[in-house]
Amino acid sequence: MGETLDRMGLSGEVINAAASLAMKAHDSTREPFLLEKPRGLSVAVVAFAGSWLRDDWWAETPSGEKETPFGETTIDAGTFPSLKSLGDDGGALVNGSFLRRFNAIHSSLAKKVKKVIGEKKQVVFTGYSSGAPVAILATLYFLENPEPNQSPPRCVTFGSPLVGDRIFGHAVRREKWSDHFVHFVMRYDVIPRIMLAPSSTEHKQILDFFNPRSEFFRKPIDSPLGFYSSVMRNASLVANYDACNLMGCRIPALETLRNFIELSPYRPFGTYIFCTGNGKLVVVRNSNAVLQMLFYCAQWTQEEAAGVAQRSLSEHLAYKDEIQESLGMQNVVYLDRLEEIPVSSDGSPATVNTALNDLGLSPQGRLCLQATGELEKRKSRNQDKIINDYKQKIEGELRKMRKYKEKAETCGMGYYDSFKLNKNEEDFLANMSRLVLAGFWDEMMEMLKAYELPDDFEKSHDFIRLGTDYRRTVEPLDIANFYRLAKDVETGFYVKKGNRPKRYRYIQNLLEHDEKKPSGSRSESCFWAEVEDFRIKTRRFGCPQEIKQKVQQLGQNLIKWIDDESLGKDVLLENSTFVKWWKPLPPEYKSEPESSRIMKLIHEKD
Amino acid sequence: MEGRRMNQVPLFSSARVLGNLIVTSNLIDSALTKILELQRDQTALPSPVQYRVFNPSPKCTIVAFVSSSDCTQNPLPGQGDLDRSPLFDFLCTEEYKSASINRAALTLFTSLYDHLSGLKTQLTEIEGQLIITGHSLGGSVASLFTLCLLDGNLLKPKCRPFCITFGSPLIGGFGLQHSMWNSFFLHVVSNQDPVPGLFLPSGRSPPTSPHSQNTGYKPFGTYLLCSELGCACFDNPDLILELLKVISSEVAGGLQDVDYGEILRNLKERAICKELPQVGERFANPFSAGIIVELETIGFNQTKLLQHNIDIKTVISTMEAEARNLTQKNKASDAKKLNEIKRDMTQLELYKKNSKVLNMGYYDCFKNQVSKRDIHVEQFRVNLTGYWEGMVAQVQRKPHKEGATFRTRWVYAGTVYRRMVEPLDIAAFYREGRKDYMKNKRSAHYKLLQQWYEEDVKPPSRDKLDDSKKQKVSSILTEDSCFWAHVEEAILSCELLKSENCNHEEGKSSWDNLVKFEEYVMEQIDNYAVSPEIFLEKSSFMKWWGLYEGYIDTRSNSHRSLLISFMKNRSYRQYG
């Protein structure tokens, strides 16, 4: 016997209320969204209208722009600041039409929802079919911009098409918002898979079938297998491509192949609940697994073909009844330990196996699910390795670095300059530590970029603190090395792209994101690079006004950073490169009151 | 043992998902369509092989090759032979010192050769996708043509080539397993098609001509093997060879063309349909489950494997070992290895620096094993040598041109390594009292690193030897990494000359060596190519000078040279 839905933190009543309002709102022609406070429940439900117009699913590519057969666009960073990759600053991709529909109602929605939040109600956003993506974006909006004392919003969707790409899902999981989203999907429903295929005439057929205003409304489609196999072929392409990577495919032709195939960017995210069609609910949290299931659950045998194609349409219309029945039965199976699921159809554990049989998962499909489970296990193993091993070693090296720094300060010029001279054995040893640390961080950065660590690892405060400590302590040495070897002569300013090691930029991004500070505001570890750069520029006679202002700015930043202790006072030692350059600078390079503060601080040291 | 097994991460075999990915992608359909189009238009064949260029879209170019079926249906004696051809000498690697090509394919290719040079020029202009495809021996010609394109490095960087063959016989004996090029070839083979294994000895190979050989065929690239049930991709040459042998020995009846169009249609449907229910089997792990199902899918069920003496357990364990090996390699990422190497080099720099305090260079420090630190140095030396031997071996496993491109990125770093570490090897060699390092001991990887450096890096012209080199000399590594071997040999010569039992001939040759050595050293000094460390009081070079000076002073007829005056005047104090 299965379990209940209690683990989801959503009661049957709420889900039922959401389902009926979602259906009602979907067909509403006048209201873009409906808000209800069901009696006896502590929640407010907000549901969104849908549309069957093709333009509301796939935006037309404006002429002259690069064609996007999947209708994706980069999400607007102002409204959704978290939905990006921290590694390379790339924004998440979302479906342009869905985003446009959200933007159109965004302000009127915000007004009404804020009122409900004021009444201490938890808000549940919901939507059916193309109403669902708007519900998803609305939920994300309130997660990104929370009202004071707001209890986190929830989102429940029924038969939702896919909305965002892999970065989108990664960012949601990183922010730990994944559990706020629950998506109900019927086994054969075509709509949750439709975004895996590029916009085509078959899509028009599908939308027309559902569209009450179309002449083809609910009319049998001529060759039902045509549209279904087109969608499934594309779903298979995405599922197989991801599976190759999940399974660690080492055949080099895969790389070449990537240039010859066009893949949908969209990927599932959040918790999926598959309705088997016999009242059972199968819960899957692993997004890679969901993608595989979207393909493998909907496969058919050659005999079933025509019937399945018909079901792929009819099941999209059957959510309300199916949900009601399933909630009544409360026969729920959680597919949690995917790496342990049985491969053959008579394997154990029995409940899991029956559920997989109910969904028609073939041995190949089950192997793919196992691979998704193994990937999660590998991620947490990597995380353990960092926590149990690398962390101590990094801290050990950083302690050595601090000793080196203290010792250098007693010689009156700070470790930056000592390292730059590179005269003593200590400098060599510090260089060793620098390289050891770079090794650890480069490896961790590689893991993060390859998604080989849990998504929320980037948000771990321990990790950010350690990284920031590392960046502030060691980056000055990288800069010293850079200018000691006069690399700027060939390649230019240190902070320029391609010069500054990516690990520092990445770690700085993590901190800025965590503190919700603008990009570039935490560049204190590049202080020395700016000093070196200005030192060269101010040497020239008739330095432009712009540089003078920038040097003033540097002085102001210096005071700010010294005060919040993100920069060490060693920069102010009498024999440091900074002091030797800054002190004799004429007054137009300095601003008050910072300049006097700096002078005072320099002399305190004497 | 238990612990190890616990740590072993389970692996997966992706042969089928990759196969299905390829089949559903429309890529091979578009290639095959053009082949069929060309075959249809080809009426009375004027030549046994033809090609045509198609442009189905502005971003895509397809070159299709077809051959007349005569070549495979009635192969002439000797068609299956492997011949050497100067055209394909570029395929030689360390493992395959000579590259041999199937005679039938080579003949067809050579007959088209003049046309193909024009085609090559045409293709250098294109950007985007480039599919080079062919059926049967036409596919072999497509492969040979693609190899020539790759070797010439003729394509624009934005051009993506992919060579796709259908039912093509193996084309030769050479290995591309370690080359990037391997990823540009996809061979589609049906389990009903005996042609791919045609020229194998066990196949229906035509009689070989006397004194020739037809063993040594080796598949390269990726094979998409298919049956009625589905398809799977493999790239292990030995496994592919074995499967091809079985296929070509099994197919009954005459050789007739297999309809790849029909096969593809079926495969595309299979790829999205549910597979046939399969026997309830317990698998040891997902990897063996994968392999068993994959082989079954391409028509090799367990009974058939047994019939042909293919042991599934051996297949699985070989494939697993190979996969683990590759995973391991990927794990130790390049960035990490590079950081470790930098660390070891920094350690040696420190060692070098500290040695100066002892009034001898790091060469003599290491040779005399004066301190405990020398033991650590030994470890760094071992690490670095292991790394660089590996890099050099990687170049050698690749075809020549590709190896050259690959190595230019690090030939400088390799040179710094050679200059830093080879003196340590020399020190260890002469410490044991042995003679003639250059002949007896010098490792091949040093020779190659030096050779590549000399090929890639043009020495600055004489008049460019300006002050900057003079200023920097104090911090350089001696440019000739074998400098110390020459010093040691010079010391041995001096000792021999001084000893009582030195006969006339030995004396003569020793003296000649010494004169040559003097000239050599003076040239190095003039070029600022040696580190001033050689003049440190306790260095082997100064030891040599001591011996030599003593000897020439006692010689009856006086000997003069630039070096002698340079040393006697202590001009070296101003050097560096």
Side-chain angles (χ1 to χ4, degrees):
Chain A
M1 205 44 226
E3 299 183 55
T4 64
L5 267 184
D6 292 350
R7 272 213 253 161
M8 306 299 309
L10 276 174
S11 68
E13 289 89 349
V14 171
I15 295 173
N16 262 328
S20 43
L21 193 65
M23 304 297 157
K24 197 169 140 197
H26 180 271
D27 298 332
S28 143
T29 42
R30 275 176 305 158
E31 300 292 329
F33 60 90
L34 302 177
L35 194 156
E36 262 181 25
K37 293 173 236 174
R39 203 168 297 181
L41 296 175
S42 61
V43 299
V45 183
V46 184
F48 297 85
S51 159
W52 298 115
L53 298 176
R54 184 158 161 187
D55 200 40
D56 287 337
W57 291 67
W58 291 274
E60 291 268 343
T61 313
S63 61
E65 275 178 40
K66 203 180 149 236
E67 213 172 304
T68 50
F70 297 97
E72 74 275 19
T73 180
T74 308
I75 203 163
D76 146 38
T79 324
F80 299 98
S82 298
L83 296 182
K84 64 175 179 191
S85 147
L86 297 179
D88 56 10
D89 259 344
L93 297 177
V94 284
N95 177 303
S97 295
F98 299 156
L99 184 64
R100 190 195 59 193
R101 287 177 48 220
F102 167 74
N103 284 337
I105 59 159
H106 163 197
S107 49
S108 63
L109 176 74
K111 218 181 291 165
K112 288 208 176 161
V113 170
K114 274 179 195 164
K115 214 178 120 209
V116 185
I117 292 170
E119 295 163 16
K120 299 247 153 46
K121 291 259 184 199
Q122 184 182 32
V123 184
V124 176
F125 293 99
T126 186
Y128 158 69
S129 196
S130 64
V134 186
I136 290 168
L137 293 171
T139 314
L140 283 168
Y141 175 78
F142 283 96
L143 287 165
E144 289 268 23
N145 310 285
E147 292 290 309
N149 302 323
Q150 154 195 347
S151 57
R154 297 293 306 251
C155 181
V156 184
T157 74
F158 306 93
S160 171
L162 300 178
V163 176
D165 71 343
R166 178 173 156 123
I167 293 180
F168 182 94
H170 160 71
V172 169
R173 288 186 292 276
R174 179 187 67 220
E175 303 300 324
K176 299 200 178 74
W177 294 337
S178 207
D179 286 344
H180 297 274
F181 296 87
V182 176
H183 310 291
F184 284 91
V185 165
M186 299 279 289
R187 179 176 165 190
Y188 287 108
D189 183 1
V190 71
I191 297 297
R193 300 163 169 100
I194 202 166
M195 285 296 159
L196 295 173
S199 167
S200 67
T201 45
E202 280 105 355
H203 285 151
K204 180 90 170 53
Q205 269 187 319
I206 298 173
L207 297 187
D208 282 347
F209 175 84
F210 291 116
N211 188 353
R213 272 181 219 96
S214 157
E215 52 177 316
F216 303 106
F217 178 58
R218 306 258 164 116
K219 294 251 172 68
I221 293 179
D222 287 347
S223 62
L225 214 49
F227 78 85
Y228 193 58
S229 48
S230 149
V231 170
M232 279 299 279
R233 200 180 65 77
N234 283 287
S236 133
L237 213 53
V238 182
N240 280 320
Y241 181 76
D242 277 17
C244 280
N245 291 317
L246 285 169
M247 292 182 154
C249 175
R250 284 157 291 263
I251 294 182
L254 179 62
E255 274 291 304
T256 313
L257 197 64
R258 186 65 189 90
N259 299 316
F260 288 83
I261 51 178
E262 197 163 34
L263 287 179
S264 163
Y266 300 114
R267 296 293 183 277
F269 81 102
T271 303
Y272 270 71
I273 302 184
F274 287 87
C275 310
T276 57
N278 58 6
K280 200 175 283 178
L281 296 174
V282 182
V283 183
V284 192
R285 285 197 178 88
N286 178 327
S287 299
N288 285 319
V290 172
L291 176 73
Q292 297 300 324
M293 289 180 68
L294 283 177
F295 170 63
Y296 282 103
C297 285
Q299 280 185 308
W300 65 89
T301 60
Q302 266 148 335
E303 303 83 67
E304 309 172 323
V308 166
Q310 207 50 55
R311 271 180 85 175
S312 77
L313 298 173
S314 61
E315 284 197 351
H316 189 60
L317 300 167
Y319 278 94
K320 205 170 164 186
D321 296 343
E322 180 72 20
I323 297 289
Q324 220 158 31
E325 189 197 332
S326 304
L327 290 174
M329 282 170 64
Q330 287 280 329
N331 186 355
V332 184
V333 179
Y334 290 84
L335 284 189
D336 281 336
R337 299 161 75 110
L338 287 161
E339 66 281 2
E340 289 169 14
I341 63 166
V343 175
S344 45
S345 52
D346 57 352
S348 56
T351 41
V352 172
N353 194 43
T354 325
L356 297 175
N357 285 344
D358 288 342
L359 288 169
L361 278 173
S362 65
Q364 185 67 50
R366 293 163 182 232
L367 279 173
C368 290
L369 290 190
Q370 281 195 350
T372 66
E374 278 302 331
L375 175 64
E376 291 312 306
K377 258 175 90 175
R378 192 162 77 231
K379 287 182 184 178
S380 62
R381 263 198 307 271
N382 285 341
Q383 175 167 273
D384 291 348
K385 190 167 73 184
I386 291 174
I387 295 172
N388 300 330
D389 180 18
Y390 289 12
K391 195 173 161 230
Q392 273 96 321
K393 288 182 179 152
I394 290 169
E395 280 167 347
E397 293 299 326
L398 286 175
R399 269 195 299 277
K400 284 193 215 161
M401 281 287 191
R402 268 190 285 275
K403 278 207 188 110
Y404 169 67
K405 191 175 168 194
E406 279 162 24
K407 193 160 176 218
E409 277 167 35
T410 58
C411 307
M413 66 167 140
Y415 75 139
Y416 174 80
D417 284 286
S418 168
F419 193 81
K420 206 171 147 197
L421 289 174
N422 211 22
K423 243 166 61 189
N424 303 316
E425 173 146 2
E426 283 87 21
D427 305 322
F428 271 98
L429 294 176
N431 199 18
M432 285 300 299
S433 290
R434 179 179 74 92
L435 290 166
V436 172
L437 286 163
F440 283 123
W441 287 97
D442 282 348
E443 198 188 339
M444 291 192 281
M445 295 301 134
E446 254 173 44
M447 285 184 199
L448 282 171
K449 285 221 168 127
Y451 298 96
E452 288 276 337
L453 281 168
D455 295 282
D456 57 7
F457 186 75
E458 290 176 319
K459 280 286 263 191
S460 134
H461 287 288
D462 247 18
F463 178 67
I464 296 174
R465 192 187 42 72
L466 190 66
T468 306
D469 189 10
Y470 161 68
R471 181 170 64 90
R472 287 176 183 161
T473 315
V474 184
E475 189 166 13
L477 300 188
D478 276 81
I479 299 169
N481 208 40
F482 186 86
Y483 286 95
R484 175 173 74 96
L485 302 172
K487 286 194 189 167
D488 57 315
V489 179
E490 292 159 42
T491 58
F493 187 32
Y494 168 84
V495 186
K496 212 180 70 182
K497 213 173 177 180
N499 284 345
R500 185 183 186 198
K502 285 202 191 98
R503 51 180 181 275
Y504 295 125
R505 175 74 232 163
Y506 195 164
I507 296 171
Q508 187 182 328
N509 262 353
L510 294 183
L511 181 70
E512 285 165 358
H513 176 73
D514 193 53
E515 294 182 340
K516 295 196 167 39
K517 291 251 173 66
S519 174
S521 58
R522 281 306 204 165
S523 61
E524 67 277 349
S525 57
C526 291
F527 172 77
W528 282 111
E530 300 217 11
V531 170
E532 295 282 1
D533 194 49
F534 289 138
R535 205 161 67 101
I536 297 160
K537 285 182 178 148
T538 52
R539 228 180 262 161
R540 271 180 261 140
F541 182 71
C543 189
Q545 192 57 35
E546 187 200 341
I547 299 288
K548 290 174 186 163
Q549 270 167 12
K550 281 191 179 162
V551 175
Q552 290 186 6
Q553 182 63 49
L554 184 69
Q556 290 156 14
N557 285 341
L558 172 63
I559 291 298
K560 193 175 80 195
W561 290 330
I562 294 267
D563 285 346
D564 70 11
E565 292 181 352
S566 57
L567 188 65
K569 285 188 179 160
D570 57 301
V571 304
L572 299 164
L573 289 165
E574 193 71 43
N575 285 326
S576 81
T577 303
F578 171 71
V579 173
K580 282 201 288 196
W581 159 72
W582 190 82
K583 247 171 126 176
L585 278 180
E588 65 263 33
Y589 288 96
K590 300 172 183 175
S591 63
E592 288 302 344
E594 291 84 8
S595 175
S596 321
R597 271 289 309 279
I598 295 173
M599 284 311 285
K600 208 172 134 219
L601 284 165
I602 292 173
H603 291 121
E604 265 173 24
K605 291 262 163 188
D606 291 341
Chain B
M1 206 45 219
E2 191 58 43
R4 254 197 77 186
R5 208 173 305 145
M6 295 274 288
N7 282 334
Q8 286 229 329
V9 182
L11 293 175
F12 293 88
S13 178
S14 48
R16 270 184 84 199
V17 281
L18 181 57
N20 285 341
L21 175 67
I22 293 174
V23 167
T24 39
S25 71
N26 276 342
L27 170 66
I28 47 180
D29 303 45
S30 48
L32 190 63
T33 319
K34 299 303 164 199
I35 291 179
L36 295 176
E37 206 175 312
L38 185 55
Q39 272 173 351
R40 245 196 334 270
D41 294 354
Q42 169 191 53
T43 41
L45 250 189
S47 75
V49 60
Q50 285 191 326
Y51 72 88
R52 193 185 292 171
V53 183
F54 300 88
N55 280 97
S57 83
K59 282 187 307 183
C60 181
T61 308
I62 299 179
V63 185
F65 289 85
V66 295
S67 60
S68 83
S69 43
D70 280 2
C71 315
T72 45
Q73 275 174 6
N74 308 303
L76 303 167
Q79 290 265 43
D81 289 5
L82 282 167
D83 289 339
R84 281 202 55 184
S85 160
L87 288 176
F88 292 96
D89 272 348
F90 63 81
L91 290 169
C92 296
T93 58
E94 189 58 16
E95 194 184 345
Y96 290 84
K97 297 247 190 305
S98 71
S100 42
I101 310 290
N102 164 256
R103 183 174 296 168
L106 191 60
T107 317
L108 289 182
F109 179 77
T110 341
S111 74
L112 271 185
Y113 193 70
D114 293 338
H115 296 275
L116 291 180
S117 350
L119 179 59
K120 262 194 219 168
T121 330
Q122 190 185 338
L123 295 180
T124 52
E125 296 300 312
I126 64 157
E127 287 184 356
Q129 304 174 346
L130 169 61
I131 300 171
I132 298 163
T133 187
H135 172 245
S136 187
L137 273 169
S140 309
V141 177
S143 294
L144 292 174
F145 179 63
T146 310
L147 286 169
C148 290
L149 277 180
L150 291 171
D151 175 63
N153 221 347
L154 298 169
L155 300 172
K156 287 196 173 178
K158 273 192 180 168
C159 175
R160 315 276 181 191
F162 206 1
C163 176
I164 305 171
T165 75
F166 296 88
S168 294
L170 295 173
I171 60 164
F174 50 85
L176 290 178
Q177 289 313 108
H178 302 282
S179 165
M180 268 270 295
W181 295 358
N182 213 34
S183 64
F184 298 130
F185 293 87
L186 177 70
H187 308 291
V188 184
V189 172
S190 150
N191 75 333
Q192 299 301 314
D193 192 350
V195 174
L198 179 69
F199 298 132
L200 295 172
S202 63
R204 343 174 123 235
S205 176
T208 55
S209 44
H211 314 298
S212 73
Q213 53 115 11
N214 66 351
T215 53
Y217 279 102
K218 181 138 177 156
F220 65 95
T222 304
Y223 273 76
L224 179 76
L225 296 166
C226 38
S227 82
E228 232 181 28
L229 298 174
C231 62
C233 275
F234 294 96
D235 71 341
N236 178 308
D238 298 327
L239 178 67
I240 295 165
L241 203 58
E242 239 174 311
L243 299 179
L244 291 186
K245 272 184 201 160
V246 173
I247 292 173
S248 79
S249 70
E250 265 209 337
V251 179
L255 283 175
Q256 37 189 289
D257 274 353
V258 173
D259 184 353
Y260 277 96
E262 189 49 44
I263 289 173
L264 269 190
R265 258 191 298 286
N266 175 47
L267 285 182
K268 286 184 85 158
E269 208 165 299
R270 289 270 169 195
I272 48 176
C273 279
K274 206 179 292 178
E275 60 203 284
L276 301 174
Q278 147 248 334
V279 275
E281 194 160 358
R282 307 267 163 233
F283 302 109
N285 57 49
F287 191 79
S288 28
I291 300 271
I292 291 171
V293 176
E294 283 153 12
L295 287 173
E296 213 160 288
T297 310
I298 56 168
F300 287 82
N301 58 29
Q302 307 235 27
T303 343
K304 186 153 175 188
L305 292 172
L306 267 180
Q307 261 171 27
H308 292 275
N309 284 324
I310 300 178
D311 180 25
I312 184 75
K313 284 206 181 107
T314 322
V315 173
I316 292 174
S317 64
T318 331
M319 305 266 284
E320 189 171 352
E322 189 184 80
R324 282 208 191 281
N325 206 347
L326 279 165
T327 330
Q328 207 60 37
K329 246 193 222 155
N330 286 352
K331 229 191 198 164
S333 68
D334 285 350
K336 195 181 169 196
K337 262 192 279 177
L338 207 64
N339 271 316
E340 279 166 15
I341 288 314
K342 279 191 198 159
R343 257 151 58 192
D344 289 335
M345 284 299 281
T346 311
Q347 292 279 15
L348 290 182
E349 260 172 57
L350 177 60
Y351 178 68
K352 175 170 174 284
K353 188 178 151 66
N354 286 335
S355 304
K356 251 190 230 171
V357 185
L358 303 170
N359 237 330
M360 55 174 116
Y362 77 109
Y363 171 79
D364 284 284
C365 250
F366 188 70
K367 192 179 163 199
N368 300 337
Q369 298 273 301
V370 282
S371 76
K372 257 201 278 180
R373 296 185 305 132
D374 303 315
I375 303 163
H376 299 297
V377 168
E378 183 58 30
Q379 189 54 51
F380 307 140
R381 181 172 73 114
V382 170
N383 295 349
L384 287 162
T385 307
Y387 175 80
W388 284 105
E389 278 176 346
M391 294 298 270
V392 169
Q394 270 192 55
V395 173
Q396 286 192 289
R397 283 197 295 258
K398 292 174 194 288
H400 184 75
K401 279 253 175 63
E402 189 191 353
T405 331
F406 171 70
R407 76 191 194 214
T408 44
R409 278 182 279 146
W410 45 257
V411 78
Y412 272 103
T415 305
V416 178
Y417 151 77
R418 175 170 59 86
R419 289 172 178 166
M420 179 68 101
V421 179
E422 191 169 9
L424 301 178
D425 286 23
I426 298 171
F429 179 81
Y430 287 98
R431 191 200 298 144
E432 289 165 16
R434 294 160 71 187
K435 279 181 196 166
D436 205 353
Y437 168 84
M438 298 298 281
K439 209 185 260 158
N440 296 329
K441 184 63 199 250
R442 193 173 193 214
S443 151
H445 82 289
Y446 287 130
K447 287 183 201 161
L448 285 166
L449 282 172
Q450 180 171 352
Q451 186 192 324
W452 294 338
Y453 175 76
E454 285 161 4
E455 281 170 22
D456 290 3
V457 184
K458 303 268 171 293
S461 55
R462 281 289 292 194
D463 48 300
K464 277 257 176 122
L465 289 176
D466 50 22
D467 286 348
S468 80
K469 199 164 179 195
K470 188 173 164 186
Q471 278 162 15
K472 278 188 196 151
V473 76
S474 65
S475 60
I476 65 156
L477 290 162
T478 299
E479 283 176 13
D480 181 357
S481 56
C482 293
F483 176 82
W484 290 105
H486 301 309
V487 173
E488 294 289 353
E489 293 299 322
I491 292 177
L492 292 172
S493 294
C494 280
E495 281 169 351
L496 189 71
L497 277 177
K498 283 188 163 181
S499 73
E500 281 150 20
N501 46 15
C502 168
N503 64 38
H504 180 70
E505 234 161 73
E506 283 172 342
K508 172 94 174 53
S509 86
S510 297
W511 176 250
D512 287 348
N513 285 343
L514 283 165
V515 174
K516 256 191 239 156
F517 177 68
E518 268 187 52
E519 284 167 10
Y520 160 77
V521 174
M522 203 55 226
E523 195 190 328
Q524 303 294 310
I525 293 172
D526 283 344
N527 287 339
Y528 295 102
V530 280
S531 159
E533 281 178 20
I534 65 164
F535 304 117
L536 289 168
E537 205 184 309
K538 295 187 199 160
S539 90
S540 290
F541 180 76
M542 294 309 273
K543 178 182 166 195
W544 165 80
W545 171 243
L547 288 169
Y548 188 62
E549 190 181 24
Y551 176 74
I552 47 175
D553 286 351
T554 59
R555 253 171 76 112
S556 43
N557 44 350
S558 76
H559 168 73
R560 278 192 209 168
S561 76
L562 288 169
L563 183 68
I564 293 173
S565 29
F566 181 85
M567 293 303 291
K568 288 216 180 206
N569 298 338
R570 313 208 169 220
S571 309
Y572 54 81
R573 288 187 175 164
Q574 274 88 51
Y575 179 87

